[in-house]
Amino acid sequence: MRSIGTLGGGCVEAEARREAVGLMRSGERRLLRFQLDDDYGWDDGLICGGQMQIFIDIPQTSEEARLFRKVEELLALDTAVLIATVVESEEPGVALGNKLLFAEGDVILGTLGTPKLDAWVQDEAPESLRKTEPVLLEHPQATVFLDPIYPEPTLLIAGAGHIGYALCKLGAMIGFRVVVVDDRADFASEDRFPDASEVIVGDIAETLARYPLNSMSYVVIVTRGHRHDE
């Protein structure tokens, strides 16, 4: 069994993992609830308190596979997407795990189970994408989790000196696609920047002028001198 990522570690993650393994065998989906109080996890010294809800989602159909392939395709095109998932429902036809994909450009795929529920989520989706935060919405027909997913952000570093070198390591570590540009080939090299996704040797101003920037791009100018920075 392989895990990617974390739910915070500790006994909650261990319990969620145990439940997930069992549900994978049965093919069920379930919303888990945890109340972190004086009793839960006391042996492990958990004193943070609060409540957690974790939805165990077991994709099962070819339609779901097609939806996730579409997510990959859109993210590769630097398009933000939002996946709406039913996590609670007693409404006929609105099953746990039903999904609706929404993306910029009027891209819609899947269904939550009813036209009314789909239309309601489509109205909420643009605001959720704009705020860049997941949200749990209550509807008379179901509880729906809206999960916005964004393309990998780009950190474009102009300058391959000691600051650019350290910044590249940090940017890659926290999830940026790092691009380094400098006009000195002995500084801007793949050997020196193994963590960079791309290293460009060329005129810095000309490279910045033609580089395709979008809303997920961040530029840091740290060349070897103020004249070059300007």
Side-chain angles (χ1 to χ4, degrees):
M1 186 64 63
R2 187 163 64 102
S3 299
I4 298 173
T6 178
L7 298 173
C11 56
V12 171
E13 183 167 308
E15 177 66 14
R17 180 185 173 91
R18 187 185 69 81
E19 290 278 354
V21 171
L23 292 171
M24 286 172 70
R25 292 175 180 145
S26 66
E28 296 179 63
R29 296 171 163 108
R30 185 176 303 162
L31 181 64
L32 309 180
R33 289 186 170 86
F34 298 92
Q35 177 69 45
L36 308 182
D37 52 24
D38 290 342
D39 297 323
Y40 189 82
W42 179 251
D43 291 340
D44 293 323
L46 289 182
I47 59 173
C48 50
Q51 298 177 333
M52 293 179 68
Q53 296 184 77
I54 300 172
F55 184 62
I56 307 296
D57 194 4
I58 313 292
Q60 298 171 338
T61 68
S62 59
E63 284 299 310
E64 287 178 285
R66 189 163 72 93
L67 185 144
F68 286 117
R69 283 195 295 269
K70 187 66 175 179
V71 170
E72 286 187 322
E73 176 187 320
L74 291 168
L75 291 177
L77 296 172
D78 286 334
T79 301
V81 301
L82 182 138
I83 299 179
T85 304
V86 175
V87 296
E88 278 190 307
S89 172
E90 296 182 359
E91 184 82 8
V94 182
L96 290 184
N98 279 1
K99 293 178 180 63
L100 178 67
L101 167 67
F102 177 89
E104 298 169 341
D106 295 326
V107 177
I108 299 172
L109 186 65
T111 179
L112 298 176
T114 70
K116 184 177 181 180
L117 191 56
D118 288 351
W120 176 69
V121 166
Q122 289 173 38
D123 288 341
E124 298 286 339
E127 181 67 9
S128 182
L129 276 173
R130 187 185 67 80
K131 288 184 176 180
T132 71
E133 295 179 354
V135 63
L136 193 65
L137 297 177
E138 301 285 345
H139 186 272
Q141 291 184 324
T143 301
V144 180
F145 179 62
L146 302 188
D147 187 17
I149 306 174
Y150 298 88
E152 188 178 32
T154 296
L155 175 61
L156 178 57
I157 303 174
H162 61 283
I163 296 176
Y165 175 80
L167 188 59
C168 175
K169 286 184 173 294
L170 179 60
M173 183 173 64
I174 62 176
F176 281 92
R177 174 183 177 271
V178 182
V179 179
V180 178
V181 57
D182 202 298
D183 55 5
R184 300 168 294 174
D186 53 336
F187 279 79
S189 68
E190 294 182 359
D191 289 341
R192 189 161 183 268
F193 287 92
D195 299 310
S197 300
E198 184 179 5
V199 179
I200 302 172
V201 179
D203 183 272
I204 296 174
E206 291 179 2
T207 301
L208 292 182
R210 66 172 182 265
Y211 196 88
L213 301 177
N214 55 41
S215 61
M216 298 298 292
S217 302
Y218 300 81
V219 181
V220 177
I221 299 177
V222 283
T223 72
R224 59 186 176 275
H226 296 301
R227 183 175 300 173
H228 293 285
D229 285 347
E230 184 179 356

